[in-house]
Amino acid sequence: TLTIEAGVTINVNADKSIYVSGTLIAIGTSSSKITFTSSQSSKAAGDWGPLTFYDSSVDASFDGNGDYSSGSILKYCIIEYGRGVTMTDATPFLYYSTLRYNNYRVINATKSGSSSGTLKIKNCDIHGNSDDELMVLYVENSNSNTEISYNNIYNNTSEYDNYLIHSSN
C-alpha cells in the first residue's frame, strides 16, 4: 500500500509511468490537493505516461450506502501533463479529481471480467485534454457495475466524441 498525503506533488520524469499493482491511497482535500505532474521545466501534454492500475491492484470497496470504504482511490487529485489514468481490469475510485492538459485517452478503462468491482468516477473535472486519435474518456466494461456521474467534461479536443462508454451487460 502506498499512501500519498494531501498537498504532495509527484513530479514524473519524461516518458516514465506510474504502475499500481497493489493499493494506492491518494486522498487530498479541497484546499490541499495531490498533484501528479510532469517534471519538465516546460510542461506539455503527454510528457509522462499513464497512471496505470493493473488487475493486481486492489479495487475500491464501498459500504452498504455506496460510500468508499477501502482499496485504491484518487480523491482531490490533479493529474496533468501526462497520458491520464488507465485501468486494466481494475476499479479504483476517482472522486473530486481534476484531469487536465493530458494527451491520449485521459481515462481509459477496460474490463474483460477478471475484476468484479464497481468502477466509480464521480465529481471529476476533465478539461483541456487532447486525443488526436480516439476520445478523451473511454470505458469498455463487460462484467461489472459502472457509475460515472456528476463529472464536468469540457474544452477537450478529440477526433471523435469526448467520451464513449461501451457496456456489454
Side-chain angles (χ1 to χ4, degrees), residues 109-124:
T110 57
K111 293 181 51 56
S112 62
S114 61
S115 174
S116 61
T118 298
L119 175 62
K120 288 188 180 188
I121 303 169
K122 293 179 65 175
N123 300 96
C124 292

Side-chain angles (χ1 to χ4, degrees), residues 43-98:
K43 297 175 183 349
D47 277 351
W48 59 283
L51 170 55
T52 301
F53 291 87
Y54 287 111
D55 182 27
S56 56
S57 67
V58 178
D59 293 337
S61 303
F62 304 91
D63 65 18
N65 295 323
D67 297 323
Y68 168 81
S69 59
S70 65
S72 295
I73 183 172
L74 296 169
K75 180 179 180 182
Y76 287 113
C77 292
I78 298 171
I79 296 112
E80 63 182 12
Y81 298 110
R83 291 177 62 96
V85 178
T86 297
M87 299 161 238
T88 305
D89 288 323
T91 56
F93 183 27
L94 275 68
Y95 193 46
Y96 284 108
S97 290
T98 299

Side-chain angles (χ1 to χ4, degrees), residues 4-7 26-34 74-77:
I4 302 173
E5 300 293 328
I27 301 177
T29 66
S30 61
S31 60
S32 187
K33 296 184 179 183
I34 296 168
L74 296 169
K75 180 179 180 182
Y76 287 113
C77 292

